[in-house]
Amino acid sequence: MIKAVMCLCGFLLLFTFQNALGAEPRQAPSAQEKARTLYLLNQPVVMLQAKFGLTTPEERVQRIVTILRTLDDNDLAQPVKMHTLTRYQQSAVLFSVNGKPFMLLAQGDLDEGDDLTLAQAAERLRFRLDTLRQSLSEQYSSRYLLLSAGKSLVGALLLIAFILFALRSYAWLKRIYAARRAQRKSLIPGALRAFLGPIEVRLYAIVLTVALLVAFYIWVSWVLRLFPWTRIWGMELGGYAVGLLQRLGLAILSALPGMLIVIVIFLITALVTRLLRLVLRRVETGQLHLPGLHPDTVGVTRKLISVVIWLFALSAAYPFLPGANSLAFKGISVFFGLMLTLGSAGVMNHAMSGLVLTYSRALRKGEVIRIADHEGVVSEVGMLATKILTRENYEVTVPNAVVVSGRIVNLSATLKGHGVNMTTSVTIGYDTPWRQVEAMLELAASRTQGVNRSIPPLVRQLALQDWYVAYELQVRLQAGESLAGVRSILHGHIQDVFNEFGVQIMSPNFISQPDQPVIVAKSNWFTPPANQDASDKG
C-alpha cells in the first residue's frame, strides 16, 4: 500500500501546467495554452482544447487529476486502453486503465495545424501514457533503481579514470618536452622548440580541459537519464548539447561563403602589398627611381600605403565577417570607435608631426642635431617621438610635436658622413693683435686629436664689443668623432696656447684692464694633483 501511495504521489507531483502543448507539442506556448497542458514525469502529454457545455479545458484537466488520485499500484500495472465512442455530439476516444476511464480526447481537442485524425492523435497519446506509466512503475522498482545506481557508479569510476589519465598524460608530456629540450633530440630546431614547446603543452592542457568538461557533461546527462525522476532533465541536457552542436555546425556552414570571400580579399591584399614592398625596396636601395619618391622617405611611405590598403581590405571584408550584423559586433565597433575618438587627438598630432619630419627630411638616424637644450646623435625617428643620444650617453625622447614646433639645428645634414662642423668662441682684449689670436686658435686646433687636419680651421671675428673682440673658431671633426669629447680637448689646447703666449682670455666679461695679464705660467700647468701624462690630450 505504501508503494502505491508513493507511486500515486510521484505521478501527481510530476503533473504540472508548463510549456504548453496542443494535442501535439507546441514550441512557444501562450499563457492560456500552459493552463490547458498536462505534464507527467516532466514530459508533455496533451493539451485539451474542446469545451463541453460549461466545462472549460482547464476544468477537464483538473478532473483528470482527480481521477488519477483514485488509481492504485494495481491499476498502474495494467496497460492503457482506448475506446472509440461519441460524446457531446462529436467523435471521441476514452482512455482507461484497468477498466477505469480517466481521460477523454474529443475531435474538438485536435489542432488543425497538426494535420492528424482523431485515431492518429489518440494512438500517439496512448503510446505516451503507456510509456510514462511504465517509467512511473520503474521509478519505484528496487531492481531497476539498484541497476541504475550501479551504472551510475561505473560511469563515475570511468570518469575518474579518465581524469587521472588526463592528469598523468599532461605530466608525461611536460617531462617529454623537458627531456627533448635538454637532450636536443627533436626534428624541430632548438630555438624554435624552446618557443613552440610551452605553446604545445598549454594547447594540450586546453584540449584536456575541454575533453574533461565534455566527459563530465555526458556523464551527468547519462546519469540523469537512468532515473525516471530526472530522465527529462537528462534528455533536455542531451538535447541542448545536440542542438548547440547543430546550431554551431549550421553557423559554421552558413559562414563558410563569407569567410571564403574574406580569405580571398586578404590574399589579394597580401599579394598587392608584397608587390608594392618589392618595388619600394628597390627605390630605397637606389636600384629604381620613381618621380616624387625619395629613398629616405620610402620606408615610411611603404608603411602608410600598406596601412591604407589593409584598412580598405578590412572595410571591404567587414560585411562578410561572421556576426558582422550582430548587436555584439556593433557594440564592440562603437567601443573601439569611442576609444579612438578620445585618445587620437594627441596621438594624431604627434603622428602627423612625425610625417612632417620624415617627408621634410629634417632629421635622419645617425645625424648630429641640436633641439632646444639637447644636443646629440639621432638614434631613432619614430612615428610619435624622436630619440637623441646625448654626450652624457643619455637617451632623450622628444615628442614629434615638440620637435616640429621648435628649432632644429642639424649639424651634419650637409656633410653626409664626412664629420661634423664644431664651433667654439673666445673673447680677447683689443691690446692683442687679431692676427695673433687667429694664429693661436689655429695652432690649438692643429694640436687637437679628432679634428680633420685636411680641412683648414676657420676663424671669424663675430663682434667688436666695448672691451674685447669676440672670436669664433670652426673646425671639421673626423667621421665618427664625438662632438662633446673633441670640444673638451680643444678647449684645453686653447687655454694652453693662450697661456703659452701670455694672452689673457677675457671671458667672463670685465670692465677694467688689469695691470698684468691673467694667465697661467707653463711651469704651473701640471700643478698637483694634475698629471702630465694623463692630462696631455694632444
Side-chain angles (χ1 to χ4, degrees):
M1 185 63 184
I2 296 177
K3 180 179 178 181
V5 173
M6 292 176 62
C7 188
L8 286 173
C9 290
F11 189 79
L12 295 176
L13 286 174
L14 293 171
F15 171 83
T16 181
F17 301 93
Q18 323 175 21
N19 301 334
L21 304 171
E24 287 300 313
R26 292 287 185 272
Q27 297 298 326
S30 63
Q32 185 181 26
E33 291 173 337
K34 290 180 180 180
R36 298 178 177 183
T37 303
L38 175 66
Y39 263 71
L40 295 176
L41 290 178
N42 294 323
Q43 299 186 39
V45 178
V46 68
M47 184 181 74
L48 304 179
Q49 301 187 88
K51 181 179 180 181
F52 300 142
L54 298 178
T55 304
T56 63
E58 292 83 356
E59 292 173 341
R60 292 177 59 197
V61 172
Q62 293 295 335
R63 185 173 298 175
I64 294 173
V65 173
T66 302
I67 296 174
L68 289 175
R69 287 174 179 170
T70 64
L71 301 178
D72 55 21
D73 54 344
N74 294 325
D75 298 329
L76 295 177
Q78 301 299 321
V80 177
K81 296 183 179 181
M82 299 188 304
H83 306 279
T84 303
L85 47 81
T86 301
R87 290 284 178 89
Y88 308 105
Q89 299 179 355
Q90 57 180 310
S91 300
V93 176
L94 181 66
F95 293 89
S96 64
V97 59
N98 198 22
K100 297 180 180 180
F102 63 91
M103 179 183 298
L104 183 69
L105 181 67
Q107 185 69 36
D109 290 322
L110 303 183
D111 192 335
E112 295 180 357
D114 293 336
D115 196 21
L116 294 174
T117 64
L118 178 61
Q120 292 173 337
E123 180 59 30
R124 291 189 179 187
L125 179 57
R126 187 201 65 79
F127 178 76
R128 293 179 196 149
L129 290 172
D130 213 33
T131 301
L132 293 172
R133 180 189 59 80
Q134 293 176 5
S135 298
L136 190 63
S137 300
E138 292 176 352
Q139 179 174 341
Y140 295 98
S141 171
S142 300
R143 180 177 177 278
Y144 177 82
L145 294 178
L146 287 175
L147 182 61
S148 299
K151 291 180 179 179
S152 302
L153 181 59
V154 172
L157 293 176
L158 291 176
L159 179 63
I160 294 173
F162 180 68
I163 294 174
L164 294 176
F165 167 76
L167 296 177
R168 289 180 178 273
S169 64
Y170 178 69
W172 174 81
L173 183 65
K174 291 179 66 176
R175 290 196 301 270
I176 290 296
Y177 159 69
R180 287 184 176 180
R181 186 177 180 183
Q183 300 173 3
R184 298 181 179 180
K185 293 182 178 180
S186 176
L187 297 177
I188 302 176
L192 188 59
R193 165 59 62 187
F195 172 73
L196 292 179
I199 297 179
E200 293 174 354
V201 173
R202 283 167 176 78
L203 284 177
Y204 186 71
I206 293 174
V207 171
L208 282 182
T209 303
V210 173
L212 290 176
L213 291 176
V214 171
F216 179 75
Y217 187 92
I218 294 175
W219 177 79
V220 170
S221 176
W222 178 68
V223 170
L224 292 177
R225 286 173 181 241
L226 291 176
F227 300 94
W229 305 286
T230 57
R231 182 168 297 163
I232 186 62
W233 297 336
M235 295 173 65
E236 289 179 354
L237 282 177
Y240 175 79
V242 173
L244 181 62
L245 292 176
Q246 289 178 346
R247 291 192 298 272
L248 183 60
L250 290 176
I252 293 174
L253 290 176
S254 62
L256 284 179
M259 289 301 299
L260 181 61
I261 295 176
V262 170
I263 292 173
V264 170
I265 292 174
F266 284 166
L267 286 177
I268 294 175
T269 304
L271 178 61
V272 172
T273 54
R274 186 174 181 85
L275 292 175
L276 181 67
R277 189 182 304 115
L278 292 175
V279 173
L280 293 182
R281 279 184 177 174
R282 293 176 66 87
V283 175
E284 189 174 8
T285 57
Q287 299 176 3
L288 180 65
H289 298 280
L290 293 178
L293 288 180
H294 194 277
D296 294 335
T297 62
V298 166
V300 176
T301 303
R302 182 179 68 247
K303 294 178 182 178
L304 288 176
I305 296 177
S306 298
V307 169
V308 172
I309 293 176
W310 278 107
L311 287 177
F312 178 77
L314 183 60
S315 302
Y318 177 84
F320 302 100
L321 292 175
N325 296 323
S326 64
L327 294 178
F329 214 109
K330 294 177 181 178
I332 294 174
S333 301
V334 171
F335 174 72
F336 280 106
L338 181 62
M339 289 182 60
L340 289 175
T341 302
L342 295 177
S344 63
V347 174
M348 289 304 297
N349 184 21
H350 294 305
M352 295 306 295
S353 299
L355 294 179
V356 171
L357 290 175
T358 300
Y359 284 101
S360 64
R361 302 196 300 277
L363 298 177
R364 284 185 288 269
K365 184 177 179 180
E367 292 181 339
V368 181
I369 65 170
R370 184 183 297 123
I371 300 177
D373 297 332
H374 306 294
E375 181 181 270
V377 180
V378 177
S379 60
E380 180 182 347
V381 181
M383 286 296 296
L384 302 179
T386 299
K387 295 184 178 181
I388 305 172
L389 193 63
T390 66
R391 61 176 178 270
E392 298 91 351
N393 205 27
Y394 297 157
E395 187 176 68
V396 179
T397 301
V398 185
N400 285 336
V402 176
V403 177
V404 172
S405 62
R407 185 181 67 174
I408 305 172
V409 180
N410 197 320
L411 305 177
S412 58
T414 59
L415 302 178
K416 298 186 181 302
H418 297 289
V420 179
N421 286 332
M422 183 184 68
T423 60
T424 187
S425 60
V426 294
T427 54
I428 308 299
Y430 285 101
D431 56 338
T432 304
W434 62 268
R435 294 176 180 83
Q436 182 186 12
V437 175
E438 289 187 2
M440 287 189 294
L441 290 175
E442 292 173 356
L443 178 60
S446 65
R447 294 180 178 179
T448 304
Q449 293 181 355
V451 173
N452 190 344
R453 294 183 175 85
S454 63
I455 300 177
L458 179 61
V459 180
R460 303 184 183 93
Q461 297 185 36
L462 298 180
L464 302 177
Q465 302 293 345
D466 292 340
W467 308 101
Y468 50 80
V469 180
Y471 296 89
E472 180 186 73
L473 171 64
Q474 176 179 313
V475 295
R476 175 76 61 83
L477 303 188
Q478 295 177 357
E481 289 290 341
S482 170
L483 190 68
V486 177
R487 181 184 288 118
S488 176
I489 298 174
L490 177 61
H491 286 171
H493 284 297
I494 289 175
Q495 294 179 66
D496 289 346
V497 170
F498 276 70
N499 287 328
E500 182 178 344
F501 290 93
V503 177
Q504 176 182 342
I505 298 176
M506 309 303 292
S507 297
N509 301 343
F510 75 101
I511 58 175
S512 63
Q513 184 74 29
D515 295 335
Q516 298 293 332
V518 182
I519 60 176
V520 179
K522 189 172 184 179
S523 59
N524 296 327
W525 285 6
F526 302 100
T527 302
N531 183 280
Q532 182 173 357
D533 295 333
S535 301
D536 190 0
K537 300 176 182 179

Short mmCIF file of all heavy atoms in Angstrom, two decimals, residues 488-532:
data_model
loop_
_atom_site.label_atom_id
_atom_site.label_comp_id
_atom_site.label_asym_id
_atom_site.label_seq_id
_atom_site.Cartn_x
_atom_site.Cartn_y
_atom_site.Cartn_z
N SER A 488 85.86 69.29 -25.67
CA SER A 488 86.56 69.39 -24.39
C SER A 488 88.08 69.42 -24.60
O SER A 488 88.80 70.22 -23.97
CB SER A 488 86.17 68.20 -23.51
OG SER A 488 86.89 68.20 -22.30
N ILE A 489 88.58 68.57 -25.52
CA ILE A 489 90.03 68.56 -25.79
C ILE A 489 90.46 69.89 -26.41
O ILE A 489 91.50 70.46 -26.05
CB ILE A 489 90.38 67.39 -26.72
CG1 ILE A 489 90.04 66.05 -26.03
CG2 ILE A 489 91.84 67.42 -27.10
CD1 ILE A 489 90.21 64.85 -26.94
N LEU A 490 89.68 70.43 -27.33
CA LEU A 490 90.01 71.68 -27.99
C LEU A 490 90.05 72.85 -26.99
O LEU A 490 90.95 73.70 -27.04
CB LEU A 490 89.00 71.97 -29.09
CG LEU A 490 89.17 73.29 -29.83
CD1 LEU A 490 90.53 73.35 -30.52
CD2 LEU A 490 88.05 73.49 -30.85
N HIS A 491 89.14 72.88 -26.06
CA HIS A 491 89.14 73.95 -25.06
C HIS A 491 90.42 73.90 -24.22
O HIS A 491 91.00 74.94 -23.85
CB HIS A 491 87.91 73.83 -24.17
CG HIS A 491 86.64 74.27 -24.84
ND1 HIS A 491 85.40 74.07 -24.28
CD2 HIS A 491 86.43 74.89 -26.03
CE1 HIS A 491 84.47 74.54 -25.10
NE2 HIS A 491 85.08 75.05 -26.17
N GLY A 492 90.86 72.70 -23.90
CA GLY A 492 92.10 72.59 -23.13
C GLY A 492 93.30 73.12 -23.90
O GLY A 492 94.16 73.83 -23.35
N HIS A 493 93.40 72.81 -25.18
CA HIS A 493 94.52 73.30 -26.00
C HIS A 493 94.44 74.81 -26.21
O HIS A 493 95.49 75.48 -26.29
CB HIS A 493 94.54 72.57 -27.34
CG HIS A 493 95.06 71.17 -27.26
ND1 HIS A 493 96.35 70.88 -26.88
CD2 HIS A 493 94.47 69.97 -27.50
CE1 HIS A 493 96.54 69.57 -26.89
NE2 HIS A 493 95.40 68.98 -27.27
N ILE A 494 93.24 75.36 -26.31
CA ILE A 494 93.13 76.82 -26.45
C ILE A 494 93.69 77.52 -25.22
O ILE A 494 94.45 78.50 -25.30
CB ILE A 494 91.65 77.21 -26.69
CG1 ILE A 494 91.21 76.78 -28.10
CG2 ILE A 494 91.46 78.71 -26.53
CD1 ILE A 494 89.75 77.02 -28.37
N GLN A 495 93.37 77.00 -24.04
CA GLN A 495 93.89 77.60 -22.81
C GLN A 495 95.42 77.49 -22.77
O GLN A 495 96.12 78.44 -22.39
CB GLN A 495 93.27 76.90 -21.59
CG GLN A 495 91.76 77.12 -21.44
CD GLN A 495 91.20 76.39 -20.24
OE1 GLN A 495 91.54 76.74 -19.10
NE2 GLN A 495 90.37 75.39 -20.50
N ASP A 496 95.94 76.29 -23.15
CA ASP A 496 97.39 76.11 -23.12
C ASP A 496 98.09 77.07 -24.09
O ASP A 496 99.12 77.69 -23.75
CB ASP A 496 97.74 74.67 -23.48
CG ASP A 496 97.36 73.70 -22.38
OD1 ASP A 496 97.09 74.17 -21.25
OD2 ASP A 496 97.32 72.48 -22.63
N VAL A 497 97.57 77.21 -25.29
CA VAL A 497 98.22 78.07 -26.28
C VAL A 497 98.20 79.53 -25.84
O VAL A 497 99.21 80.25 -25.94
CB VAL A 497 97.55 77.89 -27.65
CG1 VAL A 497 98.04 78.95 -28.64
CG2 VAL A 497 97.84 76.49 -28.20
N PHE A 498 97.08 79.99 -25.33
CA PHE A 498 96.99 81.38 -24.91
C PHE A 498 97.86 81.65 -23.68
O PHE A 498 98.48 82.72 -23.56
CB PHE A 498 95.53 81.75 -24.63
CG PHE A 498 94.75 82.14 -25.86
CD1 PHE A 498 94.41 81.20 -26.82
CD2 PHE A 498 94.38 83.47 -26.07
CE1 PHE A 498 93.71 81.55 -27.95
CE2 PHE A 498 93.68 83.83 -27.21
CZ PHE A 498 93.33 82.87 -28.16
N ASN A 499 97.93 80.68 -22.77
CA ASN A 499 98.85 80.84 -21.64
C ASN A 499 100.30 80.83 -22.10
O ASN A 499 101.16 81.55 -21.57
CB ASN A 499 98.62 79.72 -20.61
CG ASN A 499 97.33 79.90 -19.84
OD1 ASN A 499 96.91 81.05 -19.60
ND2 ASN A 499 96.71 78.80 -19.44
N GLU A 500 100.58 79.98 -23.10
CA GLU A 500 101.95 79.86 -23.60
C GLU A 500 102.44 81.17 -24.21
O GLU A 500 103.61 81.54 -24.03
CB GLU A 500 101.99 78.74 -24.65
CG GLU A 500 103.37 78.46 -25.21
CD GLU A 500 103.35 77.32 -26.21
OE1 GLU A 500 102.34 76.55 -26.22
OE2 GLU A 500 104.33 77.19 -26.97
N PHE A 501 101.56 81.92 -24.86
CA PHE A 501 101.97 83.17 -25.49
C PHE A 501 101.58 84.39 -24.65
O PHE A 501 101.68 85.53 -25.14
CB PHE A 501 101.36 83.29 -26.89
CG PHE A 501 101.95 82.33 -27.89
CD1 PHE A 501 101.37 81.08 -28.12
CD2 PHE A 501 103.14 82.64 -28.56
CE1 PHE A 501 101.93 80.20 -29.02
CE2 PHE A 501 103.69 81.76 -29.47
CZ PHE A 501 103.10 80.53 -29.70
N GLY A 502 101.14 84.15 -23.42
CA GLY A 502 100.88 85.25 -22.50
C GLY A 502 99.69 86.11 -22.87
O GLY A 502 99.70 87.32 -22.56
N VAL A 503 98.69 85.54 -23.48
CA VAL A 503 97.49 86.30 -23.86
C VAL A 503 96.36 85.90 -22.93
O VAL A 503 96.08 84.71 -22.74
CB VAL A 503 97.11 86.04 -25.32
CG1 VAL A 503 95.82 86.78 -25.68
CG2 VAL A 503 98.24 86.47 -26.24
N GLN A 504 95.72 86.92 -22.38
CA GLN A 504 94.63 86.67 -21.43
C GLN A 504 93.31 86.50 -22.17
O GLN A 504 92.97 87.30 -23.04
CB GLN A 504 94.52 87.84 -20.46
CG GLN A 504 93.35 87.72 -19.48
CD GLN A 504 93.25 88.92 -18.57
OE1 GLN A 504 94.20 89.68 -18.43
NE2 GLN A 504 92.10 89.09 -17.95
N ILE A 505 92.59 85.44 -21.82
CA ILE A 505 91.23 85.23 -22.34
C ILE A 505 90.28 86.05 -21.48
O ILE A 505 90.29 85.96 -20.26
CB ILE A 505 90.87 83.74 -22.31
CG1 ILE A 505 91.82 82.95 -23.21
CG2 ILE A 505 89.43 83.52 -22.76
CD1 ILE A 505 91.60 81.45 -23.18
N MET A 506 89.45 86.88 -22.12
CA MET A 506 88.66 87.87 -21.40
C MET A 506 87.31 87.35 -20.93
O MET A 506 86.51 88.11 -20.40
CB MET A 506 88.42 89.09 -22.31
CG MET A 506 89.70 89.66 -22.92
SD MET A 506 90.93 90.11 -21.68
CE MET A 506 90.14 91.50 -20.91
N SER A 507 86.98 86.10 -21.17
CA SER A 507 85.73 85.54 -20.66
C SER A 507 85.98 85.00 -19.27
O SER A 507 86.97 84.27 -19.04
CB SER A 507 85.24 84.42 -21.56
OG SER A 507 84.94 84.92 -22.83
N PRO A 508 85.16 85.34 -18.27
CA PRO A 508 83.94 86.15 -18.37
C PRO A 508 84.25 87.63 -18.60
O PRO A 508 85.40 88.05 -18.53
CB PRO A 508 83.26 85.92 -17.03
CG PRO A 508 84.37 85.63 -16.09
CD PRO A 508 85.38 84.86 -16.90
N ASN A 509 83.21 88.41 -18.83
CA ASN A 509 83.38 89.81 -19.17
C ASN A 509 84.08 90.59 -18.07
O ASN A 509 84.03 90.21 -16.91
CB ASN A 509 82.02 90.45 -19.46
CG ASN A 509 81.30 89.76 -20.60
OD1 ASN A 509 81.93 89.03 -21.35
ND2 ASN A 509 80.01 89.99 -20.72
N PHE A 510 84.74 91.71 -18.46
CA PHE A 510 85.36 92.57 -17.45
C PHE A 510 85.13 94.02 -17.86
O PHE A 510 84.79 94.32 -19.01
CB PHE A 510 86.86 92.25 -17.33
CG PHE A 510 87.67 92.78 -18.48
CD1 PHE A 510 88.39 93.96 -18.33
CD2 PHE A 510 87.69 92.14 -19.71
CE1 PHE A 510 89.14 94.45 -19.40
CE2 PHE A 510 88.43 92.62 -20.75
CZ PHE A 510 89.16 93.79 -20.60
N ILE A 511 85.33 94.95 -16.92
CA ILE A 511 85.08 96.38 -17.19
C ILE A 511 86.32 97.23 -16.98
O ILE A 511 86.29 98.43 -17.23
CB ILE A 511 83.95 96.92 -16.29
CG1 ILE A 511 84.29 96.74 -14.83
CG2 ILE A 511 82.63 96.21 -16.62
CD1 ILE A 511 83.26 97.37 -13.88
N SER A 512 87.44 96.62 -16.55
CA SER A 512 88.68 97.37 -16.40
C SER A 512 89.86 96.48 -16.75
O SER A 512 89.86 95.29 -16.43
CB SER A 512 88.83 97.92 -14.97
OG SER A 512 88.93 96.85 -14.04
N GLN A 513 90.87 97.06 -17.39
CA GLN A 513 92.05 96.30 -17.83
C GLN A 513 92.96 96.06 -16.63
O GLN A 513 93.36 97.00 -15.92
CB GLN A 513 92.80 97.10 -18.90
CG GLN A 513 93.99 96.37 -19.49
CD GLN A 513 93.56 95.26 -20.43
OE1 GLN A 513 92.51 95.34 -21.04
NE2 GLN A 513 94.37 94.21 -20.52
N PRO A 514 93.35 94.80 -16.32
CA PRO A 514 94.26 94.54 -15.19
C PRO A 514 95.68 94.99 -15.53
O PRO A 514 96.05 95.13 -16.70
CB PRO A 514 94.17 93.03 -15.03
CG PRO A 514 93.79 92.52 -16.37
CD PRO A 514 92.90 93.57 -16.97
N ASP A 515 96.45 95.24 -14.49
CA ASP A 515 97.84 95.67 -14.70
C ASP A 515 98.68 94.58 -15.35
O ASP A 515 99.54 94.87 -16.19
CB ASP A 515 98.47 96.06 -13.35
CG ASP A 515 97.77 97.28 -12.75
OD1 ASP A 515 97.18 98.06 -13.53
OD2 ASP A 515 97.77 97.39 -11.52
N GLN A 516 98.44 93.34 -14.98
CA GLN A 516 99.19 92.21 -15.54
C GLN A 516 98.20 91.23 -16.17
O GLN A 516 97.08 91.05 -15.68
CB GLN A 516 100.01 91.49 -14.44
CG GLN A 516 101.05 92.36 -13.79
CD GLN A 516 102.17 92.75 -14.76
OE1 GLN A 516 102.47 92.02 -15.71
NE2 GLN A 516 102.79 93.90 -14.53
N PRO A 517 98.57 90.58 -17.26
CA PRO A 517 97.67 89.59 -17.87
C PRO A 517 97.36 88.46 -16.90
O PRO A 517 98.25 87.97 -16.17
CB PRO A 517 98.47 89.08 -19.06
CG PRO A 517 99.48 90.13 -19.34
CD PRO A 517 99.82 90.74 -18.02
N VAL A 518 96.10 88.06 -16.90
CA VAL A 518 95.67 86.95 -16.04
C VAL A 518 95.88 85.66 -16.81
O VAL A 518 95.03 85.22 -17.61
CB VAL A 518 94.20 87.12 -15.62
CG1 VAL A 518 93.77 85.99 -14.70
CG2 VAL A 518 93.99 88.47 -14.96
N ILE A 519 97.04 85.05 -16.60
CA ILE A 519 97.39 83.83 -17.32
C ILE A 519 98.02 82.85 -16.35
O ILE A 519 98.32 83.19 -15.20
CB ILE A 519 98.38 84.11 -18.47
CG1 ILE A 519 99.68 84.73 -17.92
CG2 ILE A 519 97.74 85.01 -19.53
CD1 ILE A 519 100.74 84.94 -18.98
N VAL A 520 98.22 81.61 -16.82
CA VAL A 520 98.88 80.56 -16.03
C VAL A 520 100.22 80.26 -16.68
O VAL A 520 100.29 79.91 -17.87
CB VAL A 520 98.02 79.29 -15.97
CG1 VAL A 520 98.73 78.20 -15.18
CG2 VAL A 520 96.66 79.58 -15.36
N ALA A 521 101.27 80.42 -15.91
CA ALA A 521 102.61 80.14 -16.44
C ALA A 521 102.75 78.66 -16.79
O ALA A 521 102.14 77.79 -16.16
CB ALA A 521 103.67 80.53 -15.41
N LYS A 522 103.57 78.37 -17.80
CA LYS A 522 103.69 76.99 -18.26
C LYS A 522 104.23 76.08 -17.18
O LYS A 522 103.92 74.89 -17.14
CB LYS A 522 104.60 76.96 -19.49
CG LYS A 522 104.63 75.59 -20.18
CD LYS A 522 105.37 75.64 -21.50
CE LYS A 522 105.31 74.30 -22.20
NZ LYS A 522 106.00 74.33 -23.51
N SER A 523 105.04 76.64 -16.27
CA SER A 523 105.59 75.82 -15.18
C SER A 523 104.50 75.36 -14.21
O SER A 523 104.71 74.42 -13.44
CB SER A 523 106.65 76.62 -14.42
OG SER A 523 106.09 77.81 -13.89
N ASN A 524 103.37 76.04 -14.26
CA ASN A 524 102.29 75.68 -13.33
C ASN A 524 101.15 74.91 -14.02
O ASN A 524 100.08 74.71 -13.45
CB ASN A 524 101.70 76.94 -12.69
CG ASN A 524 102.71 77.66 -11.84
OD1 ASN A 524 103.57 77.04 -11.21
ND2 ASN A 524 102.63 78.99 -11.81
N TRP A 525 101.39 74.49 -15.26
CA TRP A 525 100.32 73.80 -15.98
C TRP A 525 99.96 72.46 -15.34
O TRP A 525 98.83 72.02 -15.42
CB TRP A 525 100.74 73.56 -17.43
CG TRP A 525 100.69 74.81 -18.28
CD1 TRP A 525 100.42 76.07 -17.87
CD2 TRP A 525 100.94 74.87 -19.68
NE1 TRP A 525 100.45 76.94 -18.91
CE2 TRP A 525 100.78 76.22 -20.07
CE3 TRP A 525 101.28 73.95 -20.67
CZ2 TRP A 525 100.95 76.67 -21.37
CZ3 TRP A 525 101.44 74.39 -21.97
CH2 TRP A 525 101.27 75.74 -22.32
N PHE A 526 100.91 71.82 -14.76
CA PHE A 526 100.67 70.49 -14.19
C PHE A 526 100.86 70.49 -12.69
O PHE A 526 101.46 69.59 -12.11
CB PHE A 526 101.59 69.46 -14.85
CG PHE A 526 101.42 69.38 -16.33
CD1 PHE A 526 102.32 70.03 -17.17
CD2 PHE A 526 100.35 68.70 -16.88
CE1 PHE A 526 102.16 69.97 -18.54
CE2 PHE A 526 100.20 68.64 -18.26
CZ PHE A 526 101.08 69.28 -19.10
N THR A 527 100.34 71.54 -12.05
CA THR A 527 100.41 71.60 -10.59
C THR A 527 99.61 70.45 -10.00
O THR A 527 98.51 70.16 -10.44
CB THR A 527 99.84 72.95 -10.09
OG1 THR A 527 100.58 74.01 -10.70
CG2 THR A 527 99.91 73.06 -8.59
N PRO A 528 100.19 69.75 -8.98
CA PRO A 528 99.48 68.60 -8.39
C PRO A 528 98.07 69.02 -7.92
O PRO A 528 97.86 70.16 -7.51
CB PRO A 528 100.37 68.21 -7.20
CG PRO A 528 101.73 68.70 -7.59
CD PRO A 528 101.50 69.95 -8.37
N PRO A 529 97.15 68.09 -8.05
CA PRO A 529 97.33 66.66 -8.39
C PRO A 529 97.29 66.37 -9.88
O PRO A 529 97.08 65.22 -10.28
CB PRO A 529 96.13 66.01 -7.72
CG PRO A 529 95.06 67.04 -7.80
CD PRO A 529 95.75 68.36 -7.63
N ALA A 530 97.43 67.39 -10.74
CA ALA A 530 97.42 67.15 -12.18
C ALA A 530 98.62 66.30 -12.58
O ALA A 530 99.71 66.47 -12.04
CB ALA A 530 97.43 68.47 -12.94
N ASN A 531 98.39 65.41 -13.57
CA ASN A 531 99.45 64.52 -14.07
C ASN A 531 99.69 64.83 -15.54
O ASN A 531 98.75 64.87 -16.33
CB ASN A 531 99.03 63.05 -13.90
CG ASN A 531 100.13 62.08 -14.32
OD1 ASN A 531 100.30 61.83 -15.51
ND2 ASN A 531 100.84 61.55 -13.35
N GLN A 532 100.95 65.06 -15.88
CA GLN A 532 101.25 65.49 -17.25
C GLN A 532 100.87 64.43 -18.27
O GLN A 532 100.28 64.74 -19.31
CB GLN A 532 102.74 65.84 -17.38
CG GLN A 532 103.11 66.35 -18.77
CD GLN A 532 104.55 66.84 -18.84
OE1 GLN A 532 105.26 66.85 -17.82
NE2 GLN A 532 104.97 67.27 -20.01
#
